[in-house]
């Protein structure tokens, strides 16, 4: 990119910031009108909620603001490219997306989008696309090259289906031919592709691997997602309900090799794992890994759930912390009944807050990992702020289009 083009891109950040979400909404509208096949890889619920538009706008603005310091973008590019790789985004998609993005900028900014501005943004997009295509190529090569690896989506057979709670069921998956499965890091996810009967398009969803890599089986644990009460049941979560209702032991599902950059950092620092609801899936995998491999690291496993009937992996959590010489679990229930057993089912009542956590936190600097629904994520961020936990010590995964690119940028 020319220095003059970079200067134009940086100068137009405020205008794009003001109109960022409108631009991305216009972008998606024309993109899907002219390329309906792309509806097989984009999630309509993320379009409906606006989450994907916000995430795309935030990432493009972060990129534009840092166009002179691309090394600052490491975390963001890695998060996006792992997600893209799990969806099989290909180099030939990039010119299509770039064309619609520039057209959307022109439509929304009108005459303010001069030929110089469009030319500079075209060059900026091309530069980012080149970085992403390179990173994705590397992920595809690694996925295919590792022992047991494959490219694209391959069938895995459901060996066991285990009910973990009223809403969460685990699927234990293996290769139909008995081949070993590729290894993965604790915190990574498996993308699953399905074409649900009567749905107009096939869809892909990511599920965190909830059991450590063992070379033979993968475990994913899926929450059945229902629409809010005032919305018709026809809008219940498409793939999670399909997996719960239609996929049985002995059936196969299509899966991608594991991806994801929300992974446990090795080292000797204490680890604090905070999860809300189904966000327990990467956390339980990390806890297993620490129990098996890092008995010298202090571990605090904090889990918040609404009530006993929604509490998954209760016994597994208790056994893991018992085996680890320096681990402790703290379980918060929002609603407690007389049948719930303090110290066995749960440890604290209500929601996670700084005052309840403080007495249990390691004294020395620690790594904090957190994952859960959007309300839980913002509550934990406030708690970590109140506890003065530096941004550089925080790692998070959202089970939705990532709202946290601002945090990522600050960390970088
Ligand atoms: C990295 C990552 C890891 C993940 N790990 C896990 C995991 O371990 N376990 C897990 O269970 N999930 C996990 N998820 C979430 C998972 O990928 C899916 O998003 C989830 O299963 C919902 O998909 P779905 O197809 O069932 O719902 P979708 O069809 O995508 O719908 C999503 C939500 O929107 C609601 N909805 C749909 N249409 C409307 C409408 N018109 N109005 C109002 N509401 C509507 C649905 O009821 C549902 O609650 C993860 C996500 C990511 C990104
Ligand atoms: C430079 C160009 C691009 C940028 C900056 C970009 C940015 C993003 C971001 C920020 C996300 C959300 C990631 C997350 O939440 O974890 C995302 C997801 C996604 N991207 Fe891209 N992307 C680009 C190009 C593409 C291309 C070329 C395609 C292929 C058509 C594509 C398809 C997708 C899909 C399908 C998702 C998931 C959407 C969903 O959940 O519905 N992207 N991208």
């Amino acid at each position: 990119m020319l220095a003059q083009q970079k200067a134009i891109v940086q100068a137009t950040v405020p205008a794009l910031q003001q109109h960022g979400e409108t631009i991305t909404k216009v972008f998606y509208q024309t993109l899907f009108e002219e390329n309906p096949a792309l509806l097989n890889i984009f999630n309509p619920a993320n379009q409906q909620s606006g989450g994907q538009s916000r995430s795309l706008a935030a990432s493009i603005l972060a990129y534009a603001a840092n166009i002179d310091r691309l090394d600052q973008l490491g975390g963001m590019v890695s998060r996006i490219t792992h997600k893209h790789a799990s969806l099989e985004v290909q180099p030939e998609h990039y010119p299509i997306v770039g064309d619609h993005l520039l057209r959307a900028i022109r439509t929304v900014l009108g005459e303010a989008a001069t030929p110089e501005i469009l030319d500079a943004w075209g060059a900026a997009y091309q530069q980012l696309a080149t970085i992403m295509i390179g990173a994705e190529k590397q992920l595809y090569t690694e996925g295919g090259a590792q022992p047991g690896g494959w490219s694209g989506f391959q069938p895995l057979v459901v060996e066991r289906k285990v009910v973990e709670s009223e809403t969460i069921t685990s699927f234990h998956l293996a290769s139909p031919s008995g081949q070993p499965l590729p290894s993965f890091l604790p915190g990574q996810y498996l993308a699953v592709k399905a074409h649900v009967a009567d749905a107009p398009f096939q869809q892909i969803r990511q599920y965190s691997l909830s059991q450590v890599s063992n070379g033979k089986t993968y475990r994913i644990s899926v929450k059945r997602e229902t629409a809010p009460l005032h919305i018709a049941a026809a809008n219940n979560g498409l793939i999670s309900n399909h997996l719960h209702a239609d996929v049985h032991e002995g059936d196969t599902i299509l899966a991608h090799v594991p991806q994801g950059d929300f992974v446990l950092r090795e080292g000797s620092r204490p680890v604090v794992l905070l999860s809300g609801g189904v966000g327990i899936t990467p956390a339980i995998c990390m806890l297993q890994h620490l129990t098996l491999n890092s008995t010298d690291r202090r571990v605090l496993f904090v889990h918040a759930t609404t009530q006993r009937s929604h509490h998954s992996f209760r016994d597994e959590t208790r056994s893991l912390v018992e085996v680890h010489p320096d681990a402790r679990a703290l379980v918060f229930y929002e609603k407690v009944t007389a049948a719930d057993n303090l110290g066995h089912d749960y440890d604290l009542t209500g929601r996670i807050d700084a005052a309840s956590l403080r007495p249990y936190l390691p004294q020395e600097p620690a790594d904090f990992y957190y994952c859960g629904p959007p309300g839980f994520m913002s509550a934990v961020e406030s708690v970590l702020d109140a506890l003065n936990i530096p941004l550089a010590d925080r790692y998070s995964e959202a089970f939705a289009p990532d709202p946290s690119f601002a945090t990522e940028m600050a960390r970088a």
Side-chain angles (χ1 to χ4, degrees):
M1 267 187 91
L2 302 172
Q4 198 189 353
Q5 290 172 320
K6 287 187 185 172
I8 293 176
V9 166
Q10 282 182 318
T12 48
V13 167
L16 266 92
Q17 199 150 22
Q18 195 189 341
H19 300 287
E21 280 184 46
T22 320
I23 291 171
T24 49
K25 274 188 194 140
V26 172
F27 155 76
Y28 280 120
Q29 197 179 335
T30 64
L31 181 73
F32 295 141
E33 270 166 17
E34 294 177 29
N35 304 275
L38 288 179
L39 289 163
N40 288 301
I41 61 167
F42 282 89
N43 179 344
N46 293 341
Q47 297 294 324
Q48 172 102 11
S49 69
Q52 179 58 26
S53 297
R54 279 192 293 279
S55 186
L56 180 64
S59 70
I60 289 173
L61 286 168
Y63 163 66
N66 287 279
I67 201 134
D68 267 340
R69 305 167 280 157
L70 290 183
D71 55 319
Q72 303 283 302
L73 293 168
M76 187 183 87
V77 169
S78 159
R79 178 63 46 109
I80 300 170
T81 52
H82 275 271
K83 181 74 78 64
H84 280 174
S86 80
L87 295 154
E88 283 286 311
V89 169
Q90 296 296 339
E92 56 269 27
H93 290 131
Y94 278 85
I96 303 172
V97 162
D99 176 43
H100 285 272
L101 199 57
L102 284 183
R103 279 162 54 183
I105 293 176
R106 197 166 44 215
T107 304
V108 175
L109 296 190
E111 287 185 2
T114 61
E116 291 73 26
I117 289 177
L118 291 172
D119 172 65
W121 273 92
Y125 175 83
Q126 187 52 48
Q127 177 174 270
L128 182 56
T130 305
I131 294 170
M132 289 193 170
I133 290 169
E136 285 153 22
K137 184 174 176 212
Q138 194 178 337
L139 292 174
Y140 291 133
T141 307
E142 285 166 7
Q146 58 184 308
W150 65 86
S151 56
F153 286 81
Q154 289 278 324
L156 294 180
V157 66
V158 179
E159 280 197 335
R160 268 191 318 136
K161 215 175 145 180
V162 178
V163 175
E164 307 286 1
S165 72
E166 213 171 74
T167 51
I168 297 180
T169 290
S170 288
F171 296 77
H172 295 250
L173 309 167
S175 151
S177 58
Q179 292 287 319
L181 292 178
S183 65
F184 62 88
L185 297 171
Q188 288 194 300
Y189 52 76
L190 195 74
V192 170
K193 176 161 91 172
H195 197 155
V196 179
D198 296 336
F201 299 99
Q202 66 181 27
Q203 285 281 289
I204 300 167
R205 299 287 183 270
Q206 294 79 17
Y207 293 101
S208 302
L209 289 142
S210 60
Q211 194 169 52
V212 282
S213 188
N214 60 24
K216 287 186 244 138
T217 52
Y218 290 151
R219 180 177 76 177
I220 56 169
S221 306
V222 179
K223 179 180 174 216
R224 190 166 31 82
E225 296 287 353
T226 44
L229 282 178
H230 63 283
I231 308 267
N235 293 308
N236 284 345
L238 183 73
I239 300 297
S240 61
N241 281 277
H242 165 68
L243 291 170
H244 275 248
D246 309 330
V247 177
H248 307 289
E249 290 179 357
D251 290 347
T252 53
I253 60 172
L254 290 173
H256 200 273
V257 288
Q259 301 291 351
D261 71 336
F262 175 62
V263 294
L264 194 66
R265 267 73 183 163
E266 295 302 340
S268 56
R269 285 160 67 105
V271 178
V272 180
L273 304 170
L274 298 132
S275 61
V278 71
I280 195 170
T281 50
I284 194 84
C285 187
M286 290 180 181
L287 178 62
Q288 279 182 13
H289 177 87
L290 290 161
T291 301
L292 290 169
N293 303 294
S294 305
T295 44
D296 53 335
R297 294 180 85 173
R298 169 167 293 190
V299 181
L300 177 64
F301 181 93
V302 184
H303 180 58
T305 185
T306 47
Q307 62 209 56
R308 170 73 192 100
S309 60
H310 288 185
H311 184 183
S312 302
F313 306 119
R314 181 197 62 179
D315 296 345
E316 194 169 319
T317 307
R318 296 280 176 212
S319 333
L320 288 166
V321 294
E322 265 166 36
V323 172
H324 191 290
D326 198 4
R328 142 137 230 174
L330 269 188
V331 175
F332 288 73
Y333 279 4
E334 235 175 296
K335 293 180 214 152
V336 174
T337 69
D340 297 335
N341 196 337
L342 182 69
H344 180 63
D345 294 323
Y346 72 104
D347 303 284
L348 290 158
T349 314
R351 293 186 171 191
I352 294 176
D353 60 25
S356 317
L357 276 191
R358 198 173 273 114
Y360 301 96
L361 289 177
Q363 297 303 307
E364 60 275 46
D367 291 341
F368 288 75
Y369 296 85
Y370 55 104
C371 180
F376 172 86
M377 300 296 274
S378 37
V380 167
E381 270 148 28
S382 306
V383 168
L384 298 182
D385 288 345
L387 294 166
N388 292 320
I389 306 301
L391 288 178
D393 294 344
R394 304 183 195 180
Y395 304 93
S396 66
E397 178 95 282
F399 282 180
D402 198 317
S404 71
F405 287 128
T407 323
E408 290 279 326
M409 293 306 300
R411 177 188 300 146

